[in-house]
Amino acid sequence: MNLLALESSTDTLFIATARDDQRWLHSGAGGQQTSSQLLPAVRALMADAGLSFHALDAIVFGRGPGSFTGLRTACAIAQGLAFVAKGGQGVPVLPVDTLMTVAEEARLLHGCTQVLACLDARMDEVYNAVYQYVEGHWQTLGDLQVCPPQDVQVPEGFVVAGNAQTIYGERLAPAATHLHAMPTAQALLSLAPYLLAQGQAVAAQDALPLYIRDKVAKTTAEREAEKQAQAAMVPSVPSAPNPTP
């Protein structure tokens, strides 16, 4: 199959193309640069692969959870390119959970088959979900969650894979085995054949990002309330007595 994969849910932008058994990969700065960098990088990578948009069979993108800006950008570009592919006939779009992509990257890099995927969600929280690899595909065990790092519960025998441990250290599952793994476009390409065969692709207009947290940032009032709460927790230091004359 000829596929294009886009992953911009984190601060790193990942793009990959597949032409039959060959792969071309790109990674670069994401975050706030995603909206300006994604489409030029896609065009350059497609040119390197000698692959036209009319030759694509499907477009795969990481639907989230993750950066609101990155998810919206990847979804919009996946939709736009899917509409014009095949000479305007269009191709399907395959949205893939970001955390499953982390689990797949951990499998590709480390051979893991029982993974709690965990990514930094900022605002002192992490995205996490539990996956098990059975008979050639991932099964999701439970719901995708967002919570403080210290609230993450790791099932026995599972490893924690992602980028959150570097940020939160001992606050995140200190007794667990931690492996670094990112949601890469290469992992998306690896997941795509099974998911496409399961009929999980959608028409371009039906592709949507996945948000499991409604808020992008704390309000000014919330930040001020946090400051006041933190100040209240700091014990006051008694003033020194006046010296006796």
Side-chain angles (χ1 to χ4, degrees):
M1 297 185 71
N2 296 334
L3 301 173
L4 170 65
L6 314 175
E7 197 358 282
S8 58
S9 63
T10 68
D11 285 338
T12 303
L13 170 64
F14 297 99
I15 306 170
T17 60
R19 191 179 69 195
D20 298 324
D21 294 332
Q22 296 180 285
R23 302 288 184 269
W24 287 261
L25 310 175
H26 167 84
S27 63
Q32 295 301 316
Q33 299 184 52
T34 300
S35 56
S36 63
Q37 297 298 316
L38 181 51
L39 190 53
V42 166
R43 288 173 172 159
L45 193 64
M46 293 283 286
D48 289 344
L51 191 61
S52 73
F53 293 108
H54 300 318
L56 289 174
D57 295 304
I59 297 175
V60 191
F61 81 100
R63 69 171 185 161
S67 159
F68 280 51
T69 299
L71 298 182
R72 288 194 296 266
T73 302
C75 182
I77 289 182
Q79 287 177 315
L81 295 178
F83 276 125
V84 302
K86 294 287 187 185
Q89 296 180 25
V91 295
V93 175
L94 176 64
V96 180
D97 290 353
T98 302
L99 292 170
M100 181 182 290
T101 310
V102 171
E104 178 65 5
E105 181 73 359
R107 187 185 72 86
L108 295 175
L109 292 177
H110 309 288
C112 305
T113 57
Q114 293 181 309
V115 175
L116 186 146
C118 192
L119 289 173
D120 178 30
R122 301 186 178 177
M123 294 172 60
D124 204 41
E125 291 181 322
V126 295
Y127 298 119
N128 61 97
V130 180
Y131 298 93
Q132 183 163 295
Y133 195 75
V134 179
E135 296 181 355
H137 66 276
W138 288 101
Q139 296 178 349
T140 307
L141 308 181
D143 298 328
L144 279 66
Q145 300 182 13
V146 59
C147 66
Q150 62 271 19
D151 291 348
V152 172
Q153 300 296 316
V154 184
E156 184 177 354
F158 282 66
V159 301
V160 179
N163 67 353
Q165 198 267 341
T166 302
I167 299 165
Y168 296 104
E170 292 296 306
R171 293 178 58 198
L172 175 63
T177 299
H178 290 265
L179 300 171
H180 184 78
M182 295 292 285
T184 68
Q186 183 174 8
L188 283 176
L189 291 181
S190 180
L191 291 167
Y194 175 80
L195 297 177
L196 289 169
Q198 293 300 303
Q200 295 194 26
V202 298
Q205 65 269 23
D206 296 325
L208 294 171
L210 171 65
Y211 304 126
I212 62 174
R213 181 171 69 193
D214 295 330
K215 299 175 66 175
V216 180
K218 297 177 182 177
T219 65
T220 301
E222 288 171 331
R223 291 196 296 269
E224 183 60 31
E226 281 192 354
K227 289 181 182 178
Q228 293 178 2
Q230 291 170 356
M233 295 174 62
V234 178
S236 59
V237 179
S239 58
N242 293 327
T244 303

